[in-house]
Amino acid sequence: HFFASINGSPKSKVTFLSEFMGEYRLKPEEIVLVGDTGTDWRAAQETGVNFLWRCTSNENVLPSYTGPRLFSLNELESIIQ
């Protein structure tokens, strides 16, 4: 019950997030984007939505990201509460 939608690579992630917020009538602070790339994180920053980095290693591939890291989707509930 956590996901309203799961999507692959859209035309533009900023466009996707904007359309998603409009379709579901959500404010940026009501959304958590779980992403695994710098483009995901930049789109979250541009649209003002919360971001959760889904990382696959301890490498710091997003050096300026200081938020929570998600190593497994099993951790999702405890992180977003």
Side-chain angles (χ1 to χ4, degrees):
H1 302 300
F2 292 110
F3 302 100
S5 175
I6 299 173
N7 298 279
S9 295
K11 303 169 253 177
S12 153
K13 293 185 182 194
V14 170
T15 299
F16 162 73
L17 287 170
S18 298
E19 290 174 356
F20 182 86
M21 286 187 282
E23 180 179 345
Y24 290 96
R25 296 186 174 131
L26 295 169
K27 297 175 185 171
E29 60 271 14
E30 297 174 309
I31 297 172
V32 176
L33 173 63
V34 178
D36 60 357
T37 66
T39 55
D40 294 333
W41 188 46
R42 284 187 293 279
Q45 289 178 305
E46 285 185 43
T47 56
V49 306
N50 299 293
F51 182 74
L52 180 56
W53 179 20
R54 168 66 173 108
C55 52
T56 56
S57 73
N58 281 324
E59 279 186 49
N60 197 5
V61 295
L62 297 176
S64 55
Y65 177 74
T66 59
R69 296 178 182 194
L70 180 69
F71 289 95
S72 166
L73 288 178
N74 293 327
E75 302 170 309
L76 183 61
E77 185 173 8
S78 64
I79 290 175
I80 63 173
Q81 286 185 354

